[in-house]
Amino acid sequence: MSATEFVAAQWTRATGAGVDPHEYRRVTEGFTSVADWGPSFHRTGHGYLQRAADAGSSRSAGEYLLVAARWFHLATLAPYAEAHRAAVEADHALSRALTVLEPGARRVRGERFTGWLRGPADAPGTVVVVPGLDSAKEEFLDLVSALLARGLAVFAMDGPGQGVLAATTTFVPDYERVVGRAIDALGAARIGLVGLSLGGYFAARTAALEPRVAAAATVSGPFRLEWDELPAPVREIMARRAGGADAARAFARQVDLAALAPRIAAPLLVVDGDQDVIPGVTNGEPLARLAPHGTYLSVPHGDHLLGNARPDWLPHLSDHIAHTLTGTPV
């Protein structure tokens, strides 16, 4: 893939993650190779660290740090020798930002997971946000904000093979056990679950096997994967995150929700973009159809993760989770 094609392909994902579209264009306009991506995004993140250091108020510093976290995370989306360092810096920038902006936010760690718990201590429910193949907790800050605005607590996590843990852990087929340990650590009574991209599979699997999940939603999550049909870049990313090509192939064979979907007792919202067409990936309509309380929202112009269509799904998803957890209109 050429640099121009890669930049165009990542456009809605990056802007959907909250970076300024004009700055995205300025940062990427001179690329001659995909190899320019990581260093350029990494430098942009450091520029925001400097802005935070020079800021005239702690709030401005925290806001700059949140932007830095986004750019550092996005630096990891292309092959890059310093990807782990960028992921660590994304994690650190988010930590510093929340320490300044939300003194009540709490770091929660456990076996093969880490993340931040935000929101009121007496919230009527806690939502666990699960990232996907090459995403991380820093990518979905706007989703977290929408859930927080509805009075919920939110735990945005990195699990095995994800975000700051990608360099030291690999994907596991039983991700529901990781979420279960996170729920134990959170000590919350009512749990909602939102999974994005491959995280949608993790979330649906967890909703089927973890009885404490009371509400669930997936965004661009696969119902089934066919390894031999997946595009080479997707297979390469999966191999890096799973611990090699053989492990990735074995992992992909297990991504099939046909048997698990009927076991999902919680109300489930499945969100897809009709323009999200990846060879080897079956989108989520069968999941919504087979789940006992499944609802399907298909956005005709939406692409993968629907960064180009947030008004068409983000409020609806947030209301679905809030209403299901609280039992009252929002």
Side-chain angles (χ1 to χ4, degrees):
M1 181 181 291
S2 71
T4 300
E5 291 170 330
F6 187 82
V7 167
Q10 300 298 329
W11 158 256
T12 60
R13 181 169 178 184
T15 56
V19 304
D20 180 80
H22 304 288
E23 186 168 24
Y24 180 86
R25 289 197 173 103
R26 289 196 299 271
V27 170
T28 60
E29 63 185 357
F31 286 6
T32 59
S33 166
V34 175
D36 295 332
W37 176 280
S40 297
F41 277 58
H42 206 160
R43 282 195 301 272
T44 305
H46 277 285
Y48 276 96
L49 293 187
Q50 187 59 55
R51 293 188 189 194
D54 296 338
S57 70
S58 59
R59 172 154 293 278
S60 291
E63 290 168 351
Y64 283 136
L65 288 165
L66 287 179
V67 179
R70 292 177 168 102
W71 284 98
F72 285 136
H73 162 63
L74 292 171
T76 70
L77 299 189
Y80 178 41
E82 298 294 322
H84 175 58
R85 186 160 68 90
V88 169
E89 291 186 271
D91 179 81
H92 186 53
L94 177 61
S95 299
R96 291 176 58 199
L98 293 179
T99 300
V100 170
L101 297 174
E102 297 178 28
R106 178 164 62 95
R107 185 80 181 221
V108 181
R109 295 184 176 90
E111 184 183 349
R112 294 191 293 187
F113 75 87
T114 188
W116 280 89
L117 175 63
R118 302 168 59 186
D122 60 349
T126 299
V127 186
V128 178
V129 176
V130 179
L133 179 62
D134 59 353
S135 54
K137 62 188 179 302
E138 292 82 18
E139 186 165 341
F140 305 118
L141 296 175
D142 286 355
L143 167 62
V144 171
S145 293
L147 295 167
L148 290 171
R150 286 157 175 80
L152 300 169
V154 184
F155 180 63
M157 65 179 285
D158 290 334
Q162 297 170 321
V164 73
L165 302 180
T168 56
T169 61
T170 56
F171 283 159
V172 294
D174 54 348
Y175 197 102
E176 71 280 357
R177 295 183 184 274
V178 180
V179 177
R181 290 194 293 270
I183 295 172
D184 290 341
L186 296 171
R190 289 186 62 76
I191 292 291
L193 202 55
V194 180
L196 301 107
S197 191
L198 185 61
Y201 165 74
F202 294 142
R205 180 183 173 92
T206 301
L209 299 172
E210 170 53 71
R212 290 174 290 182
V213 175
T218 70
V219 180
S220 298
F223 178 77
R224 181 183 293 113
L225 294 181
E226 300 291 346
W227 173 262
D228 292 336
E229 299 177 25
L230 292 173
V234 175
R235 292 200 302 268
E236 290 165 5
I237 296 169
M238 191 171 291
R240 287 199 300 271
R241 299 301 176 102
D246 290 343
R249 187 180 295 108
F251 174 83
R253 280 198 298 267
Q254 298 183 67
V255 180
D256 186 339
L257 291 168
L260 289 174
R263 298 176 60 179
I264 299 174
L268 169 70
L269 174 64
V270 177
V271 179
D272 272 338
D274 285 0
Q275 303 304 310
D276 182 12
V277 181
I278 302 175
V281 179
T282 302
N283 286 349
E285 187 277 332
L287 171 62
R289 177 164 35 86
L290 293 172
H293 307 287
T295 303
Y296 191 54
L297 173 61
S298 180
V299 180
H301 52 281
D303 56 14
H304 189 64
L305 290 174
L306 297 98
N308 66 333
R310 286 191 297 176
D312 298 293
W313 66 271
L314 181 54
H316 184 69
L317 181 149
S318 303
D319 289 346
H320 160 78
I321 294 291
H323 175 68
T324 304
L325 288 181
T326 65
T328 59
V330 292

